[in-house]
Amino acid sequence: MLFIRKALFYGGMKGYGMKRVGEEKKTAGLYVHVPFCVRKCAYCDFLSAPGTREEKERYVEQICEEIEQEAGRYPGYCGETVFFGGGTPTTLRPEQLERILDKLRSCFCVKEEAEEPEITLECNPGTVSREDLRKLKKAGFNRLSIGLQSAQDEELKKLGRIHSWEDFLETYHAAREAGFRNINVDIMSALPGQSRGSYEDTLRKVTELRPEHISAYSLIIEEGTPFYEQYGEAERLREKYGEDRAHLLPSEEEERQMYEMTGKILGQVGYCRYEISNYALPGYECRHNITYWKRGNYLGFGPGAASLMENCRFTKSRDLKEYGAVFRHGGCGKEGAVSEEGRVERSDTSKTVPEGLDMAESLHREEQYLQIQEQMEEFMFLGLRLIKGVSAEEFQEYFHVPIEEVYGAVLKKLEGQGLLARAEDRIFLTKKGIDVSNVVLAEFLL
Amino acid sequence: MAQTDQSRIRNFCIIAHIDHGKSTLADRIIEKTGLLTSREMQDQVLDNMDLERERGITIKAQTVRLVYQAKDGEEYIFNLIDTPGHVDFNYEVSRALAACDGAILVVDAAQGIEAQTLANVYLALDHDLDVFPVINKIDLPSADPEHVIEEIEDVIGIEAQDAPLISAKNGIGIEDVLEQVVEKVPAPKGSADAPLKALIFDSVYDSYKGVIVFCRLREGRVKKGTRIKMMATGATAEVVEVGYFGAGQFIPCEELEAGMVGYLTASIKNVKDTRVGDTVTDLDNPCGEPLPGYKKVNPMVYCGIYPADTNKYPDLRDALEKLQLNDASLFYEPETSLALGFGFRCGFLGLLHLDIIQERLEREYNLDLVTTAPGVIYKVYKTSGEMIELTNPSNLPDPSEIDYMEEPIVSAEIMVTTEFIGPIMQLCQERRGRYLSTEYIETTRALLKYELPLNEIIYDFFDALKSRSRGYASFDYDLKGYETSKLVKLDILINKEEVDALSFIVHADSAYERGRKMCEKLKEEIPRHLFEIPIQAAVGGKVIARETVKAMRKDVLAKCYGGDITRKKKLLEKQKEGKKRMRQVGNVEIPQSAFMSVLKLDTRD
């Protein structure tokens, strides 16, 4: 047994992640967080900021080292899917992205077996040239996720995006020409100044291009973003501007109608909703995304990246400086800190890295070994985000207890309220249940 | 302990308006007499409840025994009892006074006499105590001791020319106070050879020793082995230990005798056997008559107290029983509510008292409580000629059976600086007050006398008084009696179901206003459900106000970026945590805070 050290922590529980222990092939989704962008969007509260050339170069070195180290901690894993997210990963040069991908391939045997691995790269229109795309395709990226958000230039401007609809078209066509046969387009509803009409137009324009996958989220106003200042408190804004649409977000009702419109319009032209906010042409569901909802193993690299490995959740430090400090020691940066005497000092990694931990581990934050009960909760509230819901049989298989025994009363109650439905083995949210999903999902906390 | 000559004992307390510095003076006296070194001293040593320290108020009277080396060369035993200042705790004061022979009246050199200064002086005089004044806070820039001395002589009519001018905070003049205690507090009288006659003025429960009885010996003596009898309850016991009060601890001694203040334990397990105010005597050599005890104080404010977790009902019962032991003014009896399950109807001296008890239950007994809207005792005269005292609105008979109802009225005295007379009179008017008189204490201060319905002052009268006088008004009240009044029961219907715990009695003229505000408040309190919830206020089946809680907002369909589910999980946990604090009434989940929301109905918009 390779995993005795970890297994001790959860007392030999037979959870989902453990199921594969001892089997021939252990798989994980690999996520790389690229914390750079051209310019911060007004609604964005993710870890990203414009970076200098040097910062980016250093980051690539660090990530490569982090990958090596994590591979040492989790030997024998195969990367079934790879996802480069951000920020805007394409703010790195194609060569840099290729280097990271190569590192992943060599450390986590990302190779074609029965199925082609899914290797996704997020990008924003205007950040990649035709030439870049060709290089990236050649490097092995086979799925491109383009952050469009809206087909209306007015709306894009309000969001603080750097591109226009035309820029998007150019990138999209260039990607097709470069040979990307699996493309996702991100769009958003509930945008300031957006109407049902303009949103419908966005949907129509996007579907006409026939991307294989569409992610349709509603805008969330996060505290601490410029958008929060501008649109954060609807009541206050109404007082100030009255019902002037330009200053307001679409109403709750409009937002809901947009959500429904998404499902309807996309459904009419062949897209299938497989998760609350994700739609795909048959066979093009995002495998990496599904891993999250089905609680498969996934390992994140880069600041703030989240992981679930062998039923342990952890997040990488969000502090870029801390990142630097840890990897300066062994990485290729090697500049160290120059002391007053002009002597190059070995940086103080001895302080940041506690003894007995490798460097990558010292960046793990919020480490949490999931108890069996927490695993069950997650199984339910994550699994129910998928349109086909969860399988009672799988539940029993993972936890060795019938789902009825744990959630019988809750299931009965929610079914009675018309929020959940069952069809044979599967338990899933109804339309009404999707509308109030937080209330429903909270019921599954034990 | 060596036997002490009665002439060297001084039993006294400190009385004052709230915040005039009683507890600080007590601290200085303790420090000065060397009971505690200044290293051991902390502020408000006698306020040993966390709650007392936090709020800076004294809730429980505390006793401490001190030894003072007077200037005459003699050593005196001081039994000092620190007392609460707030009007709600008059009962505590009254008990403390019964154990004393004299009282130090502390008056703030800047503020002068306040409403409770007067109330406490009257209480002390009722107990035949010798009262001598002390002017505190003379170090304040606004201090005007001359003026205050004059005021004391004019208003209270006690000699104040030689009142010590002190600053308890800075330790100025404490020596003078101690000398005056020796000089002005009379030594106890009473023969140690007469049969035992001791007044129980307080008690606490100790899980090892049983009930610890605090008593003042008027006559006779008591020691280990004495077989005692409680004259009112008839309970008997054999004394295990006697002693006196150190600072926050019990110090055993051989014997207590006439004139002394101390405690006794006798393995008394049943809290009810020792009633505060009862007389302890020697079973084998009983005294003839019990001591008069003191005026039993009746609760004025009632509310329902329920455990948030219905399984905690027995715990709540035990906690109330223990609290009642040293707070005899607390009344409780079991009741049930459709909405809240099993609980108790509890009686209190006032809202602060209620607040304090609730907090003590929550802190000292680790209980989570739901409290219903406080009310007063109404007298309901039925057409059958029968009269019932109504403490729980739910028990109001059918209107057809009611002839008329009476509500309690208090005589209130409000001390206020003249510039605020207008706003305060307006407040009293709004609260259905009947104006009696204005007496000018001096050119800038007046004493307003009003008669007010008690149910109008139990809500937020005190706060309103303070806010409309920028904190300058002080207030005291006494129950005057009952008067006929046009009262109705206001029912609250949530999702068409009457919620018994939310009903309250209100004057017919304010019913609409209160109903409307109650509905508005509940609308804020009750979270959205999957369906729309009407909230209605009704009088006698007729709806007079309505609000609606809209159906649940639909969720934003959040993105879970990069597999970071922790935020999502926190959101769900919050949702679930909120649910725990809810009470299910029909299909509706009502947060526990909603049951108290009626308290926060500000009468001004």
Side-chain angles (χ1 to χ4, degrees):
Chain A
M1 280 276 285
L2 281 160
F3 291 94
I4 286 181
R5 185 165 71 99
K6 289 295 174 214
L8 284 175
F9 281 101
Y10 31 88
M13 288 177 301
K14 294 208 169 64
Y16 181 48
M18 291 296 291
K19 193 171 152 263
R20 297 196 161 122
V21 173
E23 284 174 21
E24 275 172 25
K25 186 184 156 201
K26 294 178 297 181
T27 59
L30 306 175
Y31 176 80
V32 176
H33 187 78
V34 180
F36 304 111
C37 53
V38 176
R39 189 180 76 198
K40 191 98 176 156
C41 298
Y43 59 90
C44 172
D45 83 326
F46 290 96
L47 194 64
S48 79
T52 63
R53 232 181 126 85
E54 292 71 33
E55 282 170 334
K56 288 176 188 169
E57 189 51 42
R58 208 176 308 139
Y59 163 82
V60 173
E61 297 294 344
Q62 287 163 3
I63 281 287
C64 288
E65 188 163 346
E66 187 184 349
I67 292 168
E68 267 178 36
Q69 301 232 355
E70 292 287 10
R73 280 168 52 85
Y74 297 105
Y77 270 91
C78 277
E80 218 174 17
T81 60
V82 176
F83 198 104
F84 279 54
T88 306
T90 44
T91 50
L92 297 179
R93 282 176 290 115
E95 294 72 26
Q96 292 174 310
L97 292 167
E98 182 174 4
R99 212 176 126 201
I100 301 172
L101 181 56
D102 283 347
K103 184 56 86 178
L104 286 171
R105 283 174 186 278
S106 63
C107 292
F108 291 96
C109 63
V110 184
K111 53 188 161 211
E112 283 112 276
E113 287 182 4
E115 263 182 302
E116 196 188 355
E118 177 191 282
I119 304 175
T120 307
L121 177 67
E122 274 185 358
C123 73
N124 277 324
T127 59
V128 272
S129 66
R130 253 155 231 274
E131 184 53 28
D132 289 343
L133 287 164
R134 259 196 294 276
K135 282 184 192 163
L136 291 164
K137 180 71 181 54
K138 198 161 159 258
F141 291 99
N142 57 21
R143 186 171 180 270
L144 200 65
S145 175
I146 311 176
L148 165 65
Q149 317 314 352
S150 169
Q152 319 305 325
D153 289 346
E154 267 303 291
E155 291 167 16
L156 291 173
K157 219 165 159 186
K158 279 199 169 144
L159 289 172
R161 304 287 296 179
I162 56 165
H163 59 84
S164 64
W165 165 246
E166 277 303 316
D167 295 334
F168 164 77
L169 283 179
E170 207 180 307
T171 301
Y172 184 83
H173 292 306
R176 286 298 194 208
E177 275 169 37
F180 281 97
R181 283 185 306 253
N182 188 354
I183 296 183
N184 166 57
V185 177
D186 276 340
I187 55 173
M188 279 207 270
S189 58
L191 302 179
Q194 194 178 41
S195 66
R196 271 164 289 173
S198 75
Y199 181 61
E200 185 175 346
D201 184 63
T202 295
L203 286 173
R204 300 266 180 225
K205 281 186 172 144
V206 170
T207 50
E208 271 163 30
L209 295 169
R210 304 301 289 169
E212 285 69 23
H213 191 282
I214 296 173
S215 291
Y217 294 105
S218 25
L219 175 71
I220 305 170
I221 305 294
E222 303 279 5
E223 244 175 286
T225 62
F227 257 34
Y228 189 80
E229 298 300 311
Q230 214 175 336
Y231 303 105
E233 293 131 26
E235 294 301 316
R236 179 178 61 88
L237 294 170
R238 281 218 160 70
E239 252 169 52
K240 196 166 165 192
Y241 301 114
E243 291 298 322
D244 183 356
R245 298 190 63 91
H247 296 284
L248 294 174
L249 297 171
S251 72
E252 200 181 306
E253 198 43 48
E254 276 177 303
E255 186 184 334
R256 188 58 33 180
Q257 285 169 355
M258 288 181 195
Y259 176 72
E260 276 157 17
M261 191 194 289
T262 314
K264 202 172 129 209
I265 291 178
L266 296 187
Q268 282 165 0
V269 293
Y271 290 89
C272 209
R273 183 161 79 192
Y274 66 95
E275 190 263 353
I276 284 185
S277 311
N278 283 290
Y279 303 78
L281 294 176
Y284 284 96
E285 294 84 8
C286 175
R287 279 150 57 199
H288 188 83
N289 197 314
I290 291 175
T291 304
Y292 294 151
W293 311 124
K294 296 195 76 167
R295 300 189 68 253
N297 288 314
Y298 55 93
L299 188 51
F301 307 95
S307 300
L308 170 64
M309 289 299 282
E310 297 160 17
N311 274 315
C312 174
R313 288 200 180 275
F314 54 91
T315 307
K316 296 289 170 69
S317 166
R318 288 167 202 281
D319 188 342
L320 271 171
K321 284 201 193 103
E322 220 170 50
Y323 243 83
V326 168
F327 286 109
R328 206 177 296 152
H329 169 67
C332 310
K334 283 201 178 79
E335 71 268 47
V338 180
S339 71
E340 278 171 347
E341 297 90 330
R343 182 165 47 90
V344 176
E345 290 179 328
R346 276 298 219 189
S347 64
D348 53 349
T349 43
S350 55
K351 277 178 201 159
T352 34
V353 184
E355 216 177 314
L357 285 182
D358 52 50
M359 284 178 271
E361 187 163 352
S362 75
L363 290 171
H364 289 198
R365 298 288 176 274
E366 300 152 37
E367 206 168 50
Q368 188 196 7
Y369 289 93
L370 300 172
Q371 303 296 312
I372 197 99
Q373 181 186 314
E374 294 168 304
Q375 295 175 30
M376 288 177 175
E377 292 170 354
E378 288 189 1
F379 183 97
M380 298 308 291
F381 80 72
L382 294 175
L384 284 172
R385 276 200 58 129
L386 296 171
I387 298 307
K388 60 178 189 169
V390 298
S391 151
E393 201 177 295
E394 277 174 27
F395 186 95
Q396 173 141 19
E397 201 179 307
Y398 296 147
F399 300 114
H400 302 279
V401 52
I403 194 166
E404 299 294 341
E405 212 167 281
V406 184
Y407 288 118
V410 174
L411 292 172
K412 200 174 155 199
K413 177 175 141 194
L414 294 173
E415 269 182 78
Q417 294 176 331
L419 299 170
L420 270 190
R422 293 188 78 150
E424 293 168 24
D425 177 45
R426 304 215 71 96
I427 299 161
F428 51 91
L429 293 176
T430 60
K431 183 181 160 299
K432 197 172 152 196
I434 288 174
D435 281 348
V436 293
S437 63
N438 284 341
V439 182
V440 182
L441 300 181
E443 293 280 348
F444 290 96
L445 297 187
L446 292 166
Chain B
M1 188 184 85
Q3 288 309 300
T4 313
D5 181 355
Q6 263 190 6
S7 66
R8 306 266 173 71
I9 298 177
R10 296 291 182 272
N11 297 319
F12 65 99
C13 57
I14 307 175
I15 55 176
H17 183 74
I18 195 159
D19 276 346
H20 279 195
K22 285 178 310 288
S23 296
T24 316
L25 177 59
D27 286 355
R28 290 296 93 75
I29 292 177
I30 291 167
E31 204 176 57
K32 203 79 186 173
T33 53
L35 180 71
L36 293 175
T37 63
S38 44
R39 191 175 53 81
E40 291 168 310
M41 275 305 288
Q42 46 177 338
D43 286 350
Q44 293 180 270
V45 241
L46 294 182
D47 290 345
N48 50 20
M49 265 190 257
D50 289 345
L51 205 55
E52 291 182 314
R53 291 179 171 284
E54 268 168 40
R55 297 199 179 197
I57 57 170
T58 304
I59 298 164
K60 282 294 297 171
Q62 290 288 337
T63 311
V64 67
R65 179 180 181 277
L66 309 159
V67 179
Y68 175 60
Q69 188 77 45
K71 286 189 178 143
D72 63 9
E74 299 286 347
E75 214 171 61
Y76 289 87
I77 302 290
F78 283 4
N79 284 305
L80 161 64
I81 303 176
D82 188 18
T83 61
H86 192 278
V87 54
D88 275 11
F89 302 108
N90 270 354
Y91 184 60
E92 280 290 324
V93 179
S94 170
R95 286 154 57 166
L97 296 174
C100 298
D101 303 301
I104 302 175
L105 173 69
V106 179
V107 183
D108 184 306
Q111 291 182 25
I113 293 171
E114 293 288 353
Q116 285 150 40
T117 313
L118 288 176
N120 283 324
V121 169
Y122 296 146
L123 268 179
L125 296 177
D126 279 352
H127 285 84
D128 289 330
L129 299 194
D130 288 1
V131 180
F132 72 91
V134 163
I135 316 294
N136 191 21
K137 307 195 188 180
I138 54 154
D139 53 325
L140 288 184
S142 54
D144 188 356
E146 289 309 310
H147 185 81
V148 172
I149 287 170
E150 227 169 88
E151 203 175 80
I152 293 171
E153 295 193 327
D154 289 356
V155 179
I156 305 177
I158 57 173
E159 171 70 31
Q161 286 308 327
D162 63 344
L165 304 181
I166 69 162
S167 162
K169 197 172 146 211
N170 297 317
I172 301 166
I174 308 303
E175 198 80 15
D176 294 348
V177 179
L178 294 171
E179 282 300 318
Q180 290 210 354
V181 169
V182 172
E183 199 184 310
K184 297 195 169 173
V185 175
K189 299 179 204 68
S191 164
D193 300 320
L196 175 64
K197 198 185 227 183
L199 179 75
I200 304 180
F201 68 90
D202 205 351
S203 56
V204 293
Y205 189 84
D206 179 282
S207 29
Y208 301 107
K209 295 178 176 173
V211 180
I212 301 177
V213 178
F214 295 13
C215 52
R216 160 71 195 265
L217 274 74
R218 290 288 176 187
E219 286 174 347
R221 42 173 55 103
V222 62
K223 59 182 176 184
K224 184 178 173 189
T226 308
R227 301 207 301 151
I228 52 167
K229 181 182 176 194
M230 314 293 166
M231 295 184 77
T233 64
T236 60
E238 190 177 309
V239 174
V240 173
E241 182 183 310
V242 298
Y244 53 89
F245 307 102
Q249 55 188 343
F250 298 108
I251 300 172
C253 67
E254 276 294 302
E255 190 178 64
L256 293 176
E257 58 172 46
M260 296 171 82
V261 171
Y263 71 90
L264 60 85
T265 69
S267 298
I268 304 163
K269 292 295 174 209
N270 196 339
V271 168
K272 293 195 182 94
D273 286 345
T274 53
R275 191 182 298 159
V276 170
D278 198 357
T279 303
V280 183
T281 190
D282 192 327
L283 181 62
D284 303 314
N285 179 20
C287 61
E289 286 292 306
L291 292 161
Y294 29 81
K295 192 171 105 187
K296 179 153 171 50
V297 180
N298 293 314
M300 299 227 246
V301 177
Y302 283 80
C303 76
I305 292 188
Y306 293 82
D309 172 357
T310 47
N311 297 324
K312 290 278 174 70
Y313 175 78
D315 298 17
L316 176 59
R317 188 188 52 217
D318 292 352
L320 283 168
E321 188 172 310
K322 297 224 167 79
L323 275 186
Q324 195 189 40
L325 178 64
N326 68 8
D327 185 353
S329 55
L330 169 66
F331 163 88
Y332 65 92
E333 68 183 12
E335 74 170 8
T336 47
S337 150
L338 289 174
L340 300 172
F342 290 102
F344 294 93
R345 174 92 348 204
C346 301
F348 307 92
L349 300 176
L351 265 200
L352 180 65
H353 189 211
L354 183 162
D355 202 22
I356 295 292
I357 293 288
Q358 189 191 351
E359 215 163 321
R360 287 186 70 186
L361 287 169
E362 289 185 339
R363 286 195 195 191
E364 294 170 29
Y365 298 92
N366 206 12
L367 292 164
D368 213 355
L369 304 174
V370 185
T371 316
T372 66
V376 302
I377 311 175
Y378 298 97
K379 289 184 176 169
V380 182
Y381 292 86
K382 295 168 75 168
T383 45
S384 63
E386 189 194 350
M387 188 275 281
I388 54 172
E389 293 200 338
L390 186 78
T391 57
N392 181 349
S394 306
N395 298 338
L396 187 73
D398 190 87
S400 63
E401 293 174 32
I402 301 173
D403 186 5
Y404 64 97
M405 284 169 74
E406 288 183 349
E407 66 175 331
I409 303 290
V410 299
S411 317
E413 297 192 341
I414 300 163
M415 185 89 77
V416 63
T417 43
T418 41
E419 57 184 313
F420 298 114
I421 288 181
I424 298 301
M425 288 179 86
Q426 196 194 340
L427 171 68
C428 293
Q429 230 55 53
E430 287 166 16
R431 301 296 176 102
R432 296 192 280 132
R434 191 186 302 133
Y435 172 76
L436 295 180
S437 67
T438 308
E439 288 168 23
Y440 284 86
I441 304 287
E442 52 189 334
T443 46
T444 55
R445 293 211 303 160
L447 187 66
L448 292 177
K449 293 193 175 175
Y450 265 92
E451 281 178 4
L452 285 155
L454 181 60
N455 86 351
E456 295 287 345
I457 62 171
I458 58 169
Y459 293 102
D460 52 358
F461 185 76
F462 199 68
D463 291 340
L465 195 67
K466 288 285 175 195
S467 73
R468 293 193 196 187
S469 66
R470 299 213 199 107
Y472 281 116
S474 63
F475 165 66
D476 193 62
Y477 64 87
D478 248 333
L479 187 64
K480 176 181 166 272
Y482 275 77
E483 283 182 13
T484 306
S485 180
K486 224 171 96 194
L487 298 164
V488 293
K489 182 165 88 125
L490 188 69
D491 293 316
I492 298 292
L493 289 82
I494 293 180
N495 205 21
K496 315 260 161 147
E497 270 189 68
E498 187 179 317
V499 182
D500 59 356
L502 288 172
S503 298
F504 56 97
I505 307 278
V506 63
H507 191 265
D509 294 345
S510 350
Y512 168 73
E513 189 67 7
R514 290 283 287 279
R516 189 175 61 81
K517 289 204 163 121
M518 187 78 185
C519 288
E520 280 169 11
K521 194 80 197 172
L522 286 169
K523 184 187 169 186
E524 286 167 30
E525 293 276 347
I526 297 175
R528 293 182 177 201
H529 281 55
L530 294 171
F531 43 88
E532 202 174 83
I533 304 166
I535 300 171
Q536 295 159 304
V539 171
K542 188 170 156 245
V543 174
I544 57 167
R546 177 190 162 120
E547 289 284 341
T548 306
V549 178
K550 280 198 221 150
M552 189 176 289
R553 181 185 295 274
K554 288 164 181 175
D555 293 320
V556 179
L557 300 166
K559 186 171 180 173
C560 274
Y561 290 81
D564 184 2
I565 67 143
T566 46
R567 229 197 272 181
K568 179 81 178 174
K569 197 163 173 181
K570 270 181 199 142
L571 179 82
L572 295 179
E573 268 160 8
K574 220 171 110 196
Q575 184 116 30
K576 174 150 178 161
E577 196 45 48
K579 265 195 136 156
K580 269 192 202 156
R581 312 197 123 256
M582 303 275 185
R583 285 300 174 130
Q584 185 90 27
V585 176
N587 287 327
V588 182
E589 280 161 339
I590 305 178
Q592 299 179 357
S593 55
F595 294 98
M596 278 295 270
S597 61
V598 67
L599 266 178
K600 294 164 205 140
L601 303 179
D602 191 359
T603 48
R604 280 196 305 179
D605 271 325

